[in-house]
Amino acid sequence: QLHSMQLAGILANKVFVMQADEKLARSRAVDSGVYQDLSTEQFDGLYTDYTRNLSQIVPLFPKQIVRCVDANREDGDIWTDVQAFCRQPPTSKAPRRPMRVAVIGPTGAGKATQCVRFAHRFNVVHISTGDILRDNVKAGTELGKKAKGFMDSGALVPSDLIVDLVKDRLTKADVKKQGCLLDGFPRAPDQAQAMVDAGLKVQRMLLIEVPDETLVERGCGRRLDPETGDIYHMKFKPPPADIMDRLVHRSDDQEEAIRNRLKGYHSQIDGIVPYFKDALVKIDGTSKPDEVFKLVARASTRW
Ligand code: AMP
């Protein structure tokens, strides 16, 4: 949901995390009538989900806009805290000039994880061509119908379908004001050429690099739980034994498919990099996401 907000250009100025003890939260929820039909067990399940989601969502916001509020107190006291924080002027570490950064890298390099974090940390509009295309496929638009076959086979969508769309998105008011993060664009030399032709410069082009053998290992071990949509990895995030039988090893995660995709990726990237020599920073994508993000953030705030 946070990702969808971000893609729609909805970015929070302040984030309040209301912290109440579970017992108190339960009694409030029941008293308010919202959850009056829930059993204690159902409420506990909701509460556990909430806590788990929260621990993943909060770190995605810039630290300086998050305020934890002790919600075990009376309404009036809580409100005083909330108001005081709302009155503080917004602080942002983002550089003044609207940032325009592109992130490129092979499938499996962790691009999506880094981009979601980046857009929140620097309050920029996240433009993911993959997401735009998937939305169009889902909505059954003309573009979606044309793109679907290419996407299903793991091929690139022809550039003429995507270039104008990106150019148009970059002229919108939110991008002009807040800057943007291009995720998955440019993905082919003619897209890089189109950017140059249109005078679309980026301050940074971050290339997340991971050796092919590591990408093959990451990809081959991936398993999808078709019931929950959860993704596991046989080595790095082993699935529980009781769901093992239903896990799916997707065809595009088989070694041959991955190696083919990588071959295509390398030939495209070699043609893209020369266009962005001055802006290019290579990022080592082999360590943990937190470590990679430190490199990404450092490279993006110094130019
Ligand atoms: P992604 O989510 O970035 O991996 O993109 C999913 C799919 O969308 C890719 O496999 C391509 O088929 C297509 N796609 C995304 N971005 C582009 C692009 N800039 N040019 C061509 N095809 C793209």
Side-chain angles (χ1 to χ4, degrees), residues 107 111 128-131 133-134 150-151 154-159 162 183-188 191:
T107 307
K111 213 159 36 82
S128 153
T129 44
D131 281 339
L133 289 166
R134 273 185 290 276
F150 297 101
M151 293 173 75
L156 288 185
V157 167
S159 294
I162 192 86
D183 169 2
F185 188 93
R187 198 113 148 201
Q191 296 177 10

Side-chain angles (χ1 to χ4, degrees), residues 17-264:
V17 182
M18 310 296 277
Q19 292 179 315
D21 294 338
E22 183 174 352
K23 234 166 119 189
L24 181 65
R26 185 188 299 129
S27 74
R28 280 182 181 157
V30 173
D31 291 348
S32 71
V34 178
Y35 293 117
Q36 63 184 358
D37 295 332
L38 282 191
S39 67
T40 306
E41 271 160 21
Q42 285 170 319
F43 182 85
D44 288 349
L46 277 182
Y47 195 85
T48 308
D49 285 350
Y50 162 76
T51 317
R52 196 182 50 221
N53 287 336
L54 192 72
S55 66
Q56 291 175 35
I57 293 169
V58 172
L60 296 174
F61 290 105
K63 274 200 191 85
Q64 64 272 26
I65 72 162
V66 178
R67 172 62 52 96
C68 292
V69 178
D70 175 3
N72 294 309
R73 299 169 298 161
E74 294 295 318
D75 285 0
D77 293 338
I78 299 172
W79 179 232
T80 307
D81 264 14
V82 169
Q83 270 182 314
F85 188 45
C86 282
R87 282 199 205 100
Q88 286 177 13
T91 51
S92 167
K93 279 189 182 157
R96 281 174 169 224
R97 186 155 52 114
M99 233 183 196
R100 192 183 281 164
V101 172
V103 179
I104 52 177
T107 307
K111 213 159 36 82
T113 310
Q114 297 300 324
C115 285
V116 169
R117 283 185 175 205
F118 186 100
H120 275 89
R121 168 71 65 85
F122 296 109
N123 233 17
V124 293
V125 180
H126 182 182
I127 302 174
S128 153
T129 44
D131 281 339
I132 293 175
L133 289 166
R134 273 185 290 276
D135 285 348
N136 275 274
V137 170
K138 219 192 268 171
T141 64
E142 268 317 296
L143 169 64
K145 282 180 200 152
K146 286 184 192 157
K148 188 172 184 317
F150 297 101
M151 293 173 75
D152 285 347
S153 67
L156 288 185
V157 167
S159 294
D160 57 348
L161 292 181
I162 192 86
V163 167
D164 286 342
L165 218 113
V166 173
K167 282 204 293 200
D168 182 56
R169 185 69 187 86
L170 293 178
T171 63
K172 298 283 188 276
D174 56 347
V175 173
K176 284 192 171 153
K177 186 169 159 221
Q178 289 167 221
C180 69
L181 174 72
L182 283 172
D183 169 2
F185 188 93
R187 198 113 148 201
D190 58 349
Q191 296 177 10
Q193 180 68 50
M195 283 179 74
V196 173
D197 292 346
L200 297 174
K201 292 206 170 112
V202 286
Q203 292 116 348
R204 275 283 173 261
M205 168 76 68
L206 305 177
L207 171 58
I208 303 189
E209 291 190 312
V210 175
D212 284 6
E213 290 316 310
T214 310
L215 291 169
V216 170
E217 191 188 17
R218 283 185 186 176
C220 285
R222 268 161 62 97
R223 296 291 182 278
L224 168 75
D225 179 350
E227 279 185 24
T228 61
D230 289 341
I231 304 273
Y232 294 94
H233 190 282
M234 299 308 285
K235 184 168 165 193
F236 307 122
K237 192 186 170 195
D242 57 329
I243 64 163
M244 201 68 92
D245 287 346
R246 68 171 189 238
L247 296 182
V248 176
H249 188 191
R250 290 182 355 190
S251 59
D252 52 349
D253 284 335
Q254 310 279 346
E255 177 162 355
E256 199 185 332
I258 298 173
R259 290 203 187 274
N260 271 339
R261 209 163 49 221
L262 282 172
K263 218 189 281 170

